Amino acid sequence: MPKNLKNEILLVGKGLKDKISYAKNVKSLEDIRISALGKKGEITNYLKQLKSFDHEQRIQLGSVLNEIKNNLLNSLEEKKRIIINEELEKKLLDEKIDITLQESPNNQGTLHPLSKTIDDISAIFADMGFEIAVGPDIETDYYNFTALNIPEDHPARQEHDTFYLQPDHDGFRKVLRTHTSPVQIRTLEKINIEKLDELRVIVPGRTYRSDHDATHSPMFHQCEGLVIGKKIKMSHLKGALIEFCRVFFGSENLPVRFRPSFFPFTEPSAEVDIGCKKLQDGSLSIGGGEDWLEILGSGMVHPKVLSGVGIDPDLYQGFAFGMGLERLTMLKYGIPDLRPFYDSDLRWLKHYGFLGIEETSLHSGLNGVNS
Ligand code: PHE
């Protein structure tokens, strides 16, 4: 066999093998196969030339060409498998869902200042043996006014700026409760005071009045308090409320003042003020000082209210109080405007809100107890 020819063939084989190893996809592999082993392929051409050699040379050259041909076919097969595998892997990788992606930290919520206030108030009164009671936001005229000794022609009804609903089929118009006091009546109707040594409840909840400015919102929150027992006196009212104010504002010697007032459902009635100081910049400092700030209404439950729910006022007495929760929250945390309370603005919440729910959280009580 001409030596040169054999070398030439081996070189061509090597060149084709290199091309196979550099191939990037199945299509170029197929091109290489055709260029080598197709009808007009390089190796095919050599095979076609075999017949011009003598027998001996034909056998030698034929075996070299066949070896190269088989070798190339194996390489093509092997490379094809590798390319298909790589393509599959790339496809899988592209389609993979990255479940390690971090949640946006902006979405983390904080406890709304009002919720914090409700939790704090609930915890303070729980320590004094109070339970949480609830009642409906939509009230009848009877519970919101009449049963609380506010008859139809009473001027207090006008002061409440009541939202009235469309008349029911029986012609009566329900109201959005203007205070949490109707829950006093609902609770007293439900319990049997003779079996109960003493009733102590607070009622945190939503209330409504047609009023809107920097310190008033048509929907706001109050917390009612009610204690009924055989020996309840004005001194209990004072003791409980002084204790509450001092713990809530975190000021042990906070001055607390009881100022005569009027509510149809309490007699005597008192408004409760706490001592404060007006600072140069116009803000308030809770605690000692020249000024007083009104924070809640209170009084001894009116005998008419008790007898109205079948409790003998000669045997039982009690005290009640009611406070605006937005107002308390604004005072405690120095929040100047009420309106952003309901804007759901995360920047405001980040500024005034509280991270994490504390272990004392009794807020859930709003949804269940005594309903
Ligand atoms: N309900 C009264 C108000 O909304 C507050 C209050 C409650 C006063 C209980 C006395 C007793 O202003």
Side-chain angles (χ1 to χ4, degrees):
M1 176 178 76
K3 206 155 184 223
N4 283 349
L5 187 61
K6 189 182 171 192
N7 282 344
E8 185 189 310
I9 293 172
L10 287 174
L11 221 62
V12 167
K14 167 106 177 45
L16 286 166
K17 223 175 154 184
D18 284 350
K19 272 192 191 166
I20 293 172
S21 69
Y22 296 135
K24 291 262 175 303
N25 50 45
V26 179
K27 164 88 176 59
S28 47
L29 274 184
E30 183 59 9
D31 291 345
I32 296 167
R33 191 189 67 78
I34 292 168
S35 75
L37 307 168
K39 261 189 202 159
K40 290 178 184 156
E42 281 180 280
I43 303 296
T44 314
N45 282 342
Y46 284 118
L47 283 166
K48 278 183 195 161
Q49 287 172 37
L50 276 182
K51 42 181 183 305
S52 59
F53 293 100
D54 63 32
H55 181 70
E56 189 69 9
Q57 285 179 328
R58 220 185 300 162
I59 290 178
Q60 276 190 28
L61 219 46
S63 92
V64 172
L65 281 169
N66 269 330
E67 204 184 311
I68 291 177
K69 185 180 163 185
N70 288 336
N71 204 313
L72 287 177
L73 283 172
N74 283 340
S75 299
L76 282 166
E77 199 52 43
E78 168 77 7
K79 184 70 184 178
K80 192 172 168 187
R81 231 190 52 239
I82 291 172
I83 288 177
I84 288 175
N85 257 343
E86 276 173 3
E87 279 175 354
L88 186 70
E89 222 148 89
K90 186 172 177 303
K91 202 171 159 211
L92 286 175
L93 217 64
D94 285 350
E95 285 173 1
K96 199 168 132 191
I97 298 167
D98 185 1
I99 54 165
T100 63
L101 193 64
Q102 278 226 332
E103 180 193 351
S104 162
N106 282 340
N107 290 336
Q108 190 178 354
T110 61
L111 201 57
H112 194 284
L114 260 181
S115 302
K116 166 88 169 133
T117 292
I118 292 174
D119 284 354
D120 289 349
I121 292 176
S122 303
I124 295 168
F125 281 106
D127 278 349
M128 294 192 239
F130 284 72
E131 286 179 48
I132 292 175
V134 292
D137 289 17
I138 297 174
E139 263 303 1
T140 62
D141 190 276
Y142 175 77
Y143 285 109
N144 198 75
F145 295 120
T146 316
L148 288 161
N149 195 31
I150 314 175
E152 215 154 287
D153 50 358
H154 200 287
R157 287 205 179 199
Q158 267 77 61
E159 281 163 30
H160 276 213
D161 298 315
T162 313
F163 285 115
Y164 284 92
L165 274 67
Q166 291 298 324
D168 283 349
H169 45 79
D170 55 11
F172 287 108
R173 302 189 81 172
K174 289 213 173 72
V175 301
L176 291 180
R177 68 179 179 191
T178 57
H179 50 177
T180 40
S181 301
V183 188
Q184 285 191 33
I185 309 299
R186 288 186 176 274
T187 308
L188 291 173
E189 277 181 352
K190 231 179 290 177
I191 54 143
N192 182 344
I193 193 69
E194 274 147 43
K195 283 201 186 136
L196 209 68
D197 189 34
E198 195 174 289
L199 172 80
R200 293 180 199 175
V201 286
I202 56 162
V203 185
R206 289 186 200 96
T207 44
Y208 308 82
R209 291 184 198 181
S210 178
D211 211 351
H212 201 192
D213 59 32
T215 54
H216 295 90
S217 148
M219 190 281 296
F220 59 107
H221 294 73
Q222 282 193 345
C223 183
E224 194 80 6
L226 178 67
V227 175
I228 304 285
K230 277 191 171 148
K231 292 180 179 153
I232 300 299
K233 306 185 200 72
M234 187 86 183
S235 53
H236 293 121
L237 176 157
K238 291 182 75 176
L241 292 179
I242 291 172
E243 171 76 2
F244 164 72
C245 293
R246 291 185 173 164
V247 179
F248 181 77
F249 287 103
S251 166
E252 215 177 315
N253 299 310
L254 179 69
V256 180
R257 178 173 83 170
F258 290 80
R259 189 167 33 81
S261 183
F262 171 79
F263 298 102
F265 37 94
T266 48
E267 185 58 36
S269 302
E271 230 128 16
V272 179
D273 301 338
I274 55 170
C276 68
K277 200 163 40 188
K278 276 214 179 82
L279 301 178
Q280 298 263 301
D281 64 359
S283 65
L284 282 172
S285 155
I286 307 286
E290 316 291 275
D291 297 302
W292 292 98
L293 250 182
E294 179 199 318
I295 61 157
L296 59 91
S298 68
M300 300 305 290
V301 178
H302 198 290
K304 275 196 186 165
V305 171
L306 291 174
S307 52
V309 292
I311 293 174
D312 183 351
D314 291 330
L315 281 177
Y316 291 92
Q317 293 84 44
F319 67 86
F321 54 89
M323 47 193 146
L325 300 185
E326 280 79 355
R327 183 172 165 77
L328 282 180
T329 309
M330 289 165 77
L331 289 173
K332 184 165 172 178
Y333 302 111
I335 305 174
D337 195 329
L338 170 75
R339 287 163 294 199
F341 270 67
Y342 316 107
D343 282 349
S344 300
D345 185 336
L346 278 178
R347 292 166 304 176
W348 183 86
L349 199 59
K350 280 254 149 66
H351 187 70
Y352 289 112
F354 299 88
L355 256 186
I357 308 212
E358 290 172 17
E359 69 284 356
T360 54
S361 179
L362 298 170
H363 189 49
S364 52
L366 251 186
N367 302 324
V369 188
N370 291 357
S371 57

